[in-house]
């Protein structure tokens, strides 16, 4: 019998802890346990056999900590350690079968005993916040999976990984490189949070989407604490549930961690877990064959709770899940270049910050999901989609809706997304369904389905419903259930046909209440071509919500739309004590939030606004000057730069300090933005004083200093190419060559990474690059800078501005 | 978690924040102090402080520190650390706590978010994060001393924390320390190839514990060779 056939249908038992047992048998701290697969295979096999004899059905090979990073320090390869580990496990199973046979047990071949490839965390945080890329993590897991599959593992367990993104890389590696069942168990704390902040619902949403075979909890907690968390899991999980607790919470005795729940108590607690819905149970840290033996004795006759489909339509980010339910949702529509010249320019300039800001504002304004569309004909959309998705999810907590018609961009977005994504969109055309459904299925996306097909948008309700039915049926053939489809009833403007709203609303109603599907609409299309569009939009939005709209794709910065939304929720009883409604009212009274809260500064001059660091006032003052007909270059040279110099001088004289310097920089930036807007209107671009490359050197992950320098240099009119942190010397060289750069700024914080700074400088010099190099960072000194061959040592951010200006004036940039 | 957050907040050394921001001993104006309060409040919402420690018997000998497990029946591990500075720091101590503490990835995300929308707040968040993790470590030292008092009925005092990278204590010791405390699995701390930590607002340290009274050392110079006024502390 294959594991997949009985998983969730009968109670199965995992094994228990391995680490402590190995220590008892002489494993030293610092010694890598997996090396014993080769050095002492008989010890490992003996432990497996003890667990099998105790009644375990699923035995984990001793491969938890094996990965390419760890093996760099070892005499063995990943493949050797994994092959040996899996082989020992399989041998143990065969030997125990033989023993059972000798004991006269019947049907020995059918006793369920399976060898699992055990995969743990790589121990590295993924980019963009961390050190390694998603692809590097994927390849690390891929190597492990291929080795384990080849060695004959029966299933894969991914366990004890606390970052959902790393788990996604592991699951994809497992699914793409083997056909084995994949089980994932994670450590949650007592509040039900992963160490990286994810909650149970978000983990379940993502993993179900990726098609794993079972989900559960392990380590971190004892059975009693897991009992409290289990309802969170059973509530949302439609897969078999695995629970592998520790032998209690860790207790520190004399500074050492021990687990002290005895086998009998452990077994009884686990029995409760089975009654509550776990169908695979075992142990983790501190559990022994005695724990497992007792657990099997106590639990073996307990009936399991049948696994049911919870029929939830859900998307998730790295830390929380968003459900389509009675209460409607807001999908922010602003990350989209359609009809926005500034956004288009930002995409062409690769100005990711602009995109992130659009996201942050929408999050602030109450969006639940963000639509992400970065499509422009002249750009590399797949590449930009990957960057946008990874960049946005690093700083914004909301689930994302990947919005593109480019299939490659779609797959890139889905692959690098950290959670269960939404996908916009598929339609009833055969071609569309053929290309979209397979990848939507693979990544578990919730798909927006447009009710149109080869014949266009049906004019009648019936026509749109027919298309919807066809889409639902076709999706089912690809294994995509109804719960992962959200229908777009389509909105056409009432300015072209008076019945357009009526058709949409009736389609909505039937989709939601007759077909039981969730729905979305791009609401504002309704008023296209009409004056005062907000009036129509707001009323239509309310009508749509009342006719079964599950999620409106709107601009959350639109005050009337959000007022309609909060009012609607209060009226349908989805806003307890009208709290959200009242909060929204308070916000409307206060007006839109401004970064700088100081008011009544409209009379300030541009210089004053910049010196005081007031963003809004600086912007207003600039607009005023421009309106007075003053030339933009004059403003820059006679108002803006002198003001920045005042601040810079104050900083160097220690009369002003870093936060003030940066506030002024932000204010100056707002002023520049206003000027740029005018210039681009005149078809001009502002002058650049030259391009500067800036980077935090390889090995160093501290980048605030570098970012401060970048902000200030931008203010003074330099074009900055920011390569980020932990940047390899070769990448710096390549960029410098490609862009003919004359000035490079390098930052390093640690004495250990200044070495890499030196290496970078050496590489540039060896390649006879004619450029100046300025350096800075906490441990650097003039002497040190000279020693490593830098041209300039900047003791603070203003120093770099002075140096860059000097070079500019000498014509060397 | 909420209790520990309140303790961290209560014990934050505001002067450290000002110093990290380059103010030296000057107190910032109202605009900036208000902004610091705002950022601190936000930071408190997003951090998830976690820590782990182990106690060892300590012997110092010719620039070598030998740490052996307190209870051999539970853990037979030992650690040998080569460092003249650390051995000086620990020379009066029979017991050493090895501590790893982190504010979690939320602090890094917040800083990154601010870098996008407001650099002044980003620099403040950076400084507040640094002060927060220090405050957390201070609190953990009290926890460790309390635990020792309860277990041994003796009062213990702490020597200044000493971290890999200080003086001649090589960063390579991070590897040993990470293995001994199982930092990744237990508190989600990871180590880069260059031996720096993610999440970045994290500390690993050797903490000497002694029965003889130690006045609380504010002067950081005893801890490390250099002292910077920049925000990158």
């Amino acid at each position: 019998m294959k594991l997949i056939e009985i998983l969730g249908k009968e109670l199965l038992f995992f094994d228990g802890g391995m680490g402590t047992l190995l220590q008892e048998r002489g494993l030293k701290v610092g010694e890598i346990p997996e090396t014993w697969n080769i050095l002492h295979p008989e010890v490992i096999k003996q432990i497996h056999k003890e667990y099998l004899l105790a009644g375990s059905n699923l035995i984990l090979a001793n491969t938890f900590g094996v990965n390419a990073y760890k093996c760099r320090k070892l005499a063995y390869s990943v493949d050797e350690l994994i092959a040996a580990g899996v082989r020992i496990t399989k041998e143990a199973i065969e030997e125990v079968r033989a023993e059972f046979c000798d004991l006269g047990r019947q049907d020995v071949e059918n006793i369920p005993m399976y060898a699992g490839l055990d995969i743990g965390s790589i121990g590295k945080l993924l980019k963009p916040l961390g050190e390694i890329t998603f692809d590097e993590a994927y390849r690390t897991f891929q190597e492990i999976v291929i080795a384990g599959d080849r060695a004959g593992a029966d299933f894969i367990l991914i366990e004890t990984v606390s970052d959902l993104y790393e788990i996604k890389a592991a699951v994809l590696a497992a699914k793409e490189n083997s056909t084995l069942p994949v089980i994932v168990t994670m450590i949650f704390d007592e509040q039900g949070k992963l160490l990286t902040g994810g909650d149970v619902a978000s983990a379940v949403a993502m993993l179900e989407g990726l098609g794993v075979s079972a989900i559960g909890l392990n380590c971190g907690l004892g059975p009693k604490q897991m009992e409290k968390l289990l309802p969170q899991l059973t509530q949302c999980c439609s897969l078999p549930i695995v629970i592998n607790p520790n032998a209690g919470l860790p207790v520190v005795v004399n500074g050492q961690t021990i687990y002290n729940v005895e086998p009998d108590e452990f077994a009884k607690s686990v029995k409760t877990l089975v009654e509550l819905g776990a169908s695979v149970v075992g142990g983790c840290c501190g559990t022994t064959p005695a724990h497992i033996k007792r657990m099997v004795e106590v639990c073996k006759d307990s009936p399991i709770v049948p696994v049911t489909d919870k029929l939830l339509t859900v998307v998730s980010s790295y830390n929380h899940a968003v459900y389509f339910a009675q209460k409607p949702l807001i999908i922010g529509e602003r990350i989209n270049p359609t009809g926005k010249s500034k956004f288009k320019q930002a995409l062409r300039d690769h100005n990711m910050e602009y995109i992130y800001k659009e996201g942050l504002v929408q999050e602030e304004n109450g969006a639940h999901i963000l639509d992400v569309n970065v499509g422009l004909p002249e750009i590399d959309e797949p590449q930009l989609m990957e960057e946008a998705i990874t960049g946005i999810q690093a700083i914004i907590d909301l689930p994302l809706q990947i919005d593109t018609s480019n299939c490659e961009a779609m797959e890139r977005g889905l692959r690098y997304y950290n959670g269960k994504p939404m996908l916009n969109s598929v339609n009833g055309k055969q071609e569309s369904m053929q290309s979209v459904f397979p990848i939507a299925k693979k990544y578990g996306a919730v798909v927006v389905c447009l009710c149109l097909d080869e014949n266009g948008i049906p004019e009648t309700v019936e026509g749109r419903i027919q298309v919807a039915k066809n889409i639902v049926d076709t999706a089912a053939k690809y294994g995509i259930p109804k719960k992962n489809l959200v229908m777009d009833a389509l909105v056409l403007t009432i300015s072209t046909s008076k019945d357009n709203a009526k058709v949409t609303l009736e389609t909505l109603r039937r989709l939601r209440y007759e077909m039981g599907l969730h729905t979305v609409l791009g609401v504002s299309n309704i008023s296209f071509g009409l004056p005062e569009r907000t009036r129509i939009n707001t009323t239509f939005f309310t009508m749509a919500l009342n006719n079964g709209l599950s999620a409106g794709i709107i601009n959350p910065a639109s005050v009337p739309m959000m007022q309609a939304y909060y009012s609607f929720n209060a009226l349908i009883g989805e806003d307890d004590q009208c709290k959200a409604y009242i909060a929204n009212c308070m916000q409307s009274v206060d007006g839109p939030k401004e970064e700088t809260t100081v008011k009544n500064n409209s009379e300030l001059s541009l210089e004053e606004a910049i010196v005081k660091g007031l963003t809004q006032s600086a912007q207003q003052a600039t607009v005023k000057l421009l309106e007075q007909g003053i030339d933009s270059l004059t403003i820059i040279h006679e108002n803006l730069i002198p003001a920045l110099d005042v601040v810079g001088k104050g900083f160097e004289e220690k009369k002003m300090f870093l936060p003030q310097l940066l506030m002024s920089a932000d204010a100056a930036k707002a002023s520049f933005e206003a000027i740029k807007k005018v210039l681009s209107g005149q078809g001009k671009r502002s002058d650049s004083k030259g391009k500067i490359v800036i980077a935090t050197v390889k090995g160093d992950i501290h980048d605030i200093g570098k970012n401060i320098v970048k902000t200030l240099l931008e203010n003074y009119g330099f074009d900055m190419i920011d390569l980020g942190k932990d940047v390899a010397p070769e990448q710096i060289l390549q960029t410098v060559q490609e862009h003919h750069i004359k000035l490079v700024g390098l930052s390093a914080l640690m004495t250990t990474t200044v070495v890499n700074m030196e290496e970078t400088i050496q590489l540039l010099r060896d390649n006879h690059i004619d450029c100046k190099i300025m350096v800075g960072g906490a441990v650097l000194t003039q002497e040190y800078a000279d020693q490593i061959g830098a041209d300039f040592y900047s003791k603070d951010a203003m120093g770099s501005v002075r140096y860059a200006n000097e070079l500019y004036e000498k014509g060397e940039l | 978690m909420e209790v520990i957050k309140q303790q961290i907040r209560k014990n934050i050394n505001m002067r450290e924040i000002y110093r990290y921001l380059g103010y030296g001993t000057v107190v910032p104006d109202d605009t900036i102090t208000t902004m610091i309060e705002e950022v601190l409040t936000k930071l408190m919402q997003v951090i998830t402080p976690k820590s782990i420690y182990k106690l060892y018997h300590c012997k110092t000998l010719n620039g070598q520190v030998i740490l052996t497990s307190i209870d051999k029946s539970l853990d037979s591990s030992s650690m040998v650390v080569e460092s003249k500075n650390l051995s000086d720091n620990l020379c009066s101590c029979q017991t050493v706590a090895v501590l790893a503490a982190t504010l979690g990835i939320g602090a890094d995300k917040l800083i990154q978010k601010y870098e996008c929308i407001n650099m002044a707040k980003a620099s403040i968040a950076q400084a507040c994060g640094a002060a927060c993790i220090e405050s957390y470590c201070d609190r953990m030292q009290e926890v460790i001393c309390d635990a020792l008092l309860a277990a041994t009925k003796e009062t213990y005092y702490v020597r200044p924390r000493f971290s890999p990278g200080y003086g001649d204590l090589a960063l390579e010791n991070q590897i040993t320390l990470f293995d001994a405390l199982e930092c990744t699995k237990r508190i989600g701390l990871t180590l880069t190839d260059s031996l720096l930590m993610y999440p970045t607002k994290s500390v690993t340290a050797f903490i000497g514990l002694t029965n003889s009274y130690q006045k609380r050392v504010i002067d950081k110079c005893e801890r490390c060779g250099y002292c910077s006024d920049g925000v990158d502390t």
Side-chain angles (χ1 to χ4, degrees):
Chain A
M1 191 85 82
K2 287 195 161 177
L3 173 59
I4 200 72
E5 292 164 25
I6 55 171
L7 198 58
K9 298 198 179 68
E10 56 188 81
L11 185 59
L12 294 170
F13 298 101
F14 253 108
D15 57 5
M18 171 70 84
T20 34
L21 299 184
L22 289 178
Q23 277 171 29
E24 280 170 12
R25 287 160 174 79
L27 181 84
K28 294 189 183 62
V29 166
E31 199 178 354
I32 307 293
E34 291 79 7
T35 57
W36 279 37
N37 292 347
I38 287 162
L39 299 172
H40 308 287
E42 67 296 341
V43 176
I44 306 290
K45 193 193 286 180
Q46 186 53 38
I47 294 173
H48 289 326
K49 286 170 75 173
E50 284 175 27
Y51 278 121
L52 289 164
L53 292 168
S56 295
N57 307 107
L58 291 89
I59 297 291
L60 293 172
N62 180 34
T63 53
F64 174 76
V66 180
N67 62 60
Y69 294 94
K70 212 167 239 177
C71 283
R72 286 197 291 216
K73 290 176 285 186
L74 301 178
Y76 311 103
S77 68
V78 169
D79 194 54
E80 281 173 292
L81 291 177
I82 291 202
V86 174
R87 194 188 59 240
I88 297 164
T89 317
K90 289 173 69 85
E91 284 170 8
I93 290 175
E94 286 321 305
E95 287 175 25
V96 168
R97 273 195 214 286
E99 280 178 37
F100 283 158
C101 204
D102 291 347
L103 288 168
R105 273 182 69 169
Q106 299 297 305
D107 205 15
V108 167
E109 281 312 306
N110 283 328
I111 297 174
M113 288 190 278
Y114 306 97
L117 170 66
D118 190 15
I119 302 181
S121 170
I122 302 172
K124 302 259 180 203
L125 190 66
L126 270 58
K127 278 179 197 273
L129 285 171
E131 181 187 15
I132 65 171
T133 64
F134 185 85
D135 290 336
E136 282 166 337
Y138 174 87
R139 284 192 294 270
T140 308
F141 288 120
Q142 182 183 38
E143 184 183 21
I144 297 166
V145 168
I146 290 172
D149 191 39
R150 192 165 47 211
D154 301 310
F155 70 98
I156 294 171
L157 177 73
I158 297 161
E159 60 152 321
T160 328
V161 185
S162 59
D163 179 359
L164 276 184
Y165 206 32
E166 186 181 351
I167 294 175
K168 177 163 179 176
V171 172
L172 284 176
K175 304 276 301 179
E176 291 177 354
N177 296 283
S178 82
T179 54
L180 300 174
V182 179
I183 301 173
V184 179
T185 62
M186 295 153 283
I187 311 184
F188 289 93
D189 63 16
E190 284 181 79
Q191 285 80 39
K193 290 281 172 66
L194 292 169
L195 284 167
T196 43
D199 63 10
V200 174
S202 64
V204 169
M206 184 188 88
L207 293 171
E208 285 190 353
L210 292 173
V212 305
S213 301
I215 299 176
L217 316 173
N218 79 297
C219 206
L221 304 172
K224 282 266 182 264
Q225 296 77 33
M226 286 192 179
E227 191 185 317
K228 290 189 197 122
L229 279 188
L230 191 52
Q232 289 189 33
L233 196 54
T234 51
Q235 208 171 35
C236 62
C237 185
S238 305
L239 291 172
I241 290 172
V242 184
I243 306 273
N244 289 331
N246 290 343
L249 274 183
V251 183
V252 179
V253 174
N254 283 339
Q256 310 302 323
T257 310
I258 60 161
Y259 303 90
N260 55 12
V261 173
E262 297 297 327
D264 204 46
E265 192 189 338
F266 182 81
K268 283 179 190 150
S269 305
V270 171
K271 186 165 190 267
T272 314
L273 296 172
V274 173
E275 287 160 2
L276 288 173
S279 59
V280 188
V281 289
C284 201
C285 301
T287 58
T288 63
H291 287 86
I292 301 301
K293 183 160 187 285
R294 190 73 192 117
M295 175 184 82
V296 174
E297 285 166 3
V298 171
C299 301
K300 67 175 190 301
D301 296 323
S302 299
I304 61 166
V305 180
V307 178
T308 54
D309 189 344
K310 304 299 180 291
L311 299 172
L312 298 166
T313 299
V314 56
V315 291
S316 68
S317 68
Y318 81 97
N319 79 340
H320 74 288
V322 170
Y323 293 94
F324 283 72
Q326 200 53 39
K327 184 174 171 177
L329 301 171
I330 300 292
I331 301 177
E333 67 178 7
R334 297 292 297 166
I335 302 181
N336 191 324
T338 311
K340 301 190 197 98
S341 61
K342 264 177 94 177
F343 198 106
K344 283 181 187 160
Q345 193 55 46
L347 287 179
R348 282 186 210 106
D349 294 344
H350 203 257
N351 179 359
M352 301 307 283
E353 221 169 77
Y354 185 91
I355 298 171
Y356 302 154
K357 270 187 196 164
E358 284 284 359
L360 286 165
V361 170
Q362 294 182 92
E363 183 179 38
E364 190 88 340
N365 283 322
H368 303 106
I369 297 169
L370 296 184
D371 185 271
V372 179
N373 183 324
V374 291
L376 269 189
E378 65 267 38
I379 60 156
D380 180 356
E381 192 184 342
Q383 176 58 31
L384 204 61
M385 180 61 88
E386 179 185 331
E387 267 182 71
I389 292 291
T390 51
I392 294 169
Q393 71 194 7
I395 55 171
I396 294 177
D397 293 343
L398 302 179
L400 302 179
Q401 170 169 289
I402 294 153
D403 180 3
T404 174
S405 51
N406 176 326
C407 270
E408 202 195 330
M410 211 175 251
E411 171 137 28
R412 287 273 274 278
L414 291 170
R415 189 169 187 87
Y416 295 104
Y417 181 64
N418 186 4
K420 180 177 164 79
M422 205 156 157
L423 183 59
N424 190 4
S425 60
V426 72
N427 60 50
K429 292 178 188 166
Q430 282 308 317
E431 192 194 347
S432 169
M433 294 192 284
Q434 274 166 13
S435 54
V436 174
F437 281 147
I439 51 174
K441 167 71 183 162
K442 179 176 175 187
Y443 296 100
V446 166
V447 195
V448 173
C449 310
L450 311 185
C451 292
L452 62 87
D453 61 12
E454 284 83 358
N455 302 315
I457 301 175
E459 281 176 25
T460 62
V461 174
E462 196 47 45
R464 291 189 198 177
I465 295 293
Q466 278 314 315
V467 174
K469 282 185 176 155
N470 182 33
I471 294 175
V472 172
D473 292 345
T474 313
K477 288 182 195 146
Y478 286 90
I480 300 174
K482 251 167 72 172
K483 65 178 180 182
N484 278 348
L485 303 175
V486 172
M487 312 310 287
D488 186 336
L490 297 176
V491 179
L492 296 174
T493 173
I494 49 166
S495 63
T496 56
S497 165
K498 70 180 172 59
D499 287 335
N500 276 345
K502 271 163 70 180
V503 171
T504 302
L505 293 170
E506 176 60 10
T507 308
L508 267 184
R509 197 193 57 77
R510 289 186 58 185
L511 288 167
R512 180 81 184 270
Y513 300 119
E514 287 180 9
M515 294 177 69
L517 291 156
H518 281 288
T519 57
V520 291
L521 283 183
V523 178
S524 58
N525 291 343
I526 196 72
S527 60
F528 196 77
L530 291 174
E532 297 292 338
R533 293 183 62 185
T534 314
R535 299 185 193 188
I536 293 284
N537 291 348
T538 312
T539 308
F540 177 65
F541 184 35
T542 309
M543 292 168 83
L545 289 170
N546 202 39
N547 277 279
L549 179 62
S550 313
I553 306 179
I554 66 164
N555 176 6
S558 163
V559 174
M561 291 293 264
M562 293 307 281
Q563 283 170 345
Y565 173 74
Y566 289 109
S567 306
F568 181 81
N569 285 345
L571 288 165
I572 61 164
E574 284 294 328
D575 183 2
D576 197 24
Q577 296 175 331
C578 301
K579 274 186 196 151
Y581 172 78
I582 293 169
N584 178 250
C585 291
M586 303 304 286
Q587 200 182 327
S588 304
V589 171
D590 293 346
K593 282 178 206 149
E594 241 291 323
E595 272 304 327
T596 317
T597 47
V598 186
K599 285 174 188 162
N600 300 325
N601 284 309
S602 53
E603 297 309 312
L604 292 180
S605 70
L606 178 57
E607 289 92 326
E608 285 169 325
I610 289 175
V611 172
K612 287 188 187 219
L614 301 173
T615 311
Q616 209 177 21
S617 306
Q619 192 258 345
Q620 286 164 354
T622 310
V623 171
K624 207 176 271 177
L625 290 174
L626 289 165
E627 281 168 0
Q628 288 165 12
I630 299 174
D631 168 61
S632 58
L633 275 181
T634 313
I635 298 177
I636 292 175
H637 292 296
E638 290 182 13
N639 305 85
L640 220 155
I641 297 288
L644 282 174
D645 285 340
V646 169
V647 180
K649 195 153 170 274
F651 178 74
E652 291 187 319
E653 289 169 355
K654 292 208 178 289
K655 287 179 190 149
M656 291 182 89
F657 300 92
L658 186 67
Q660 293 165 307
L661 184 68
L662 294 171
M663 281 169 71
S664 295
D666 275 346
K669 203 170 172 184
S671 171
F672 269 122
E673 291 296 327
I675 291 171
K676 263 192 214 161
K677 210 171 159 186
V678 172
L679 285 181
S680 69
Q682 297 165 351
K684 292 185 219 159
R685 298 200 62 177
S686 50
D687 294 338
S688 161
K689 283 157 84 173
K691 276 187 194 161
I692 302 175
V693 163
I694 192 160
T696 299
V697 298
K698 188 174 162 57
D700 210 320
I701 60 175
H702 303 84
D703 62 353
I704 182 113
K706 182 252 322 166
N707 292 340
I708 289 169
V709 170
K710 174 189 156 194
T711 303
L712 293 179
L713 285 169
E714 271 174 349
N715 262 225
Y716 277 86
F718 296 98
D719 265 348
M720 301 304 294
I721 301 179
D722 180 5
L723 296 178
K725 57 190 175 181
D726 192 10
V727 185
E730 297 73 26
Q731 195 191 340
I732 296 173
L733 173 68
Q734 195 196 333
T735 314
V736 167
Q737 285 174 324
E738 212 169 282
H739 296 269
H740 309 290
I741 298 298
K742 294 288 175 208
L743 178 58
V744 177
L746 301 176
S747 164
L749 185 87
M750 311 286 295
T751 31
T752 48
T753 52
V754 174
V755 185
N756 298 330
M757 185 180 261
E758 185 173 11
E759 195 189 314
T760 307
I761 296 175
Q762 198 58 49
L763 185 71
L764 289 168
R765 303 291 190 225
D766 287 350
N767 283 275
H768 309 292
I769 304 293
D770 174 28
C771 79
K772 299 280 194 228
I773 299 163
M774 59 179 174
V775 296
V779 296
L780 283 168
T781 56
Q782 183 65 54
E783 196 187 352
Y784 216 163
D786 292 341
Q787 201 182 317
I788 62 174
D791 296 296
F792 181 74
Y793 161 65
S794 179
K795 75 170 172 43
D796 57 31
M798 281 311 292
S800 60
V801 171
R802 249 187 299 113
Y803 184 63
N805 271 335
E806 247 170 59
L807 293 181
Y808 170 71
E809 274 155 27
K810 282 196 251 169
E812 290 180 19
L813 268 185
Chain B
M1 178 86 82
E2 288 313 310
V3 177
I4 190 76
K5 281 193 192 182
Q6 281 163 18
Q7 288 163 342
I8 292 174
R9 178 74 182 81
K10 206 177 94 204
N11 292 322
I12 280 180
N13 185 343
M14 296 305 286
R15 282 183 40 206
E16 281 287 277
I17 296 180
Y18 305 155
R19 199 175 65 79
Y20 293 146
L21 288 170
Y23 281 85
T25 54
V26 179
V27 175
D29 65 28
D30 285 354
T31 315
I32 302 298
T33 48
T34 312
M35 212 185 254
I36 292 174
E37 284 301 324
E38 181 197 329
V39 171
L40 263 180
T41 305
K42 192 86 200 162
L43 187 65
M44 285 301 140
Q45 290 165 4
V46 299
I47 60 170
T48 48
K50 301 248 158 123
S51 63
I52 182 164
Y53 72 92
K54 273 190 182 180
L55 296 173
Y56 293 87
H57 282 306
C58 170
K59 263 192 216 144
T60 55
L61 194 71
N62 301 332
Q64 222 184 33
V65 178
I66 300 151
L67 301 175
T68 48
S69 176
I70 291 233
D71 187 341
K72 289 224 168 54
S73 69
L74 296 172
D75 179 359
S76 57
S77 66
S78 64
M79 231 190 272
V80 180
V81 182
E82 306 278 344
S83 162
K84 174 86 173 60
N85 297 137
L86 179 64
S87 93
D88 290 349
N89 175 286
L90 298 178
C91 72
S92 61
C93 305
Q94 303 80 41
T95 308
V96 164
V98 181
L99 171 76
T102 179
L103 298 183
I105 199 71
D108 289 303
K109 276 185 177 274
L110 183 68
I111 292 166
Q112 193 148 351
K113 190 182 277 198
Y114 278 139
E115 283 184 351
C116 232
I117 52 177
N118 189 322
M119 270 312 284
K121 285 187 187 170
S123 71
I124 290 171
Q126 185 80 13
C128 290
C132 265
I133 185 68
E134 291 298 323
S135 165
Y136 184 33
C137 289
D138 290 344
R139 175 63 198 142
M140 283 314 296
Q141 289 180 174
E142 290 170 12
V143 169
I144 293 167
C145 289
D146 290 350
L148 274 170
L149 176 65
T152 66
K153 308 284 175 251
E154 285 179 53
T155 304
Y156 279 83
Y157 301 94
V158 292
R159 297 272 304 140
R161 290 192 283 280
F162 208 95
S163 296
Y166 287 2
D168 69 349
L169 178 60
L171 271 181
E172 278 66 25
N173 289 296
Q174 289 277 55
I175 300 170
T176 328
L177 199 151
F178 262 65
D179 282 345
L181 298 183
E182 298 181 289
C183 291
T184 306
K185 179 170 147 189
R186 303 288 296 279
I187 61 169
L189 204 50
T190 66
L191 202 55
T192 69
D193 284 351
S194 53
L195 305 173
L196 302 178
M197 291 181 285
Y198 277 119
T200 63
K201 292 291 166 266
S202 305
V203 162
T204 53
F206 296 91
I207 303 164
L209 295 152
T210 162
N211 297 123
S212 60
Y213 177 74
Q214 302 282 312
K215 78 172 182 339
R216 282 213 33 181
V217 185
I218 301 296
D219 181 9
K220 281 194 156 189
C221 301
E222 196 189 340
R223 289 208 227 154
C224 69
Y226 53 84
C227 205
S228 99
D229 284 332
V231 285
D232 285 350
T233 308

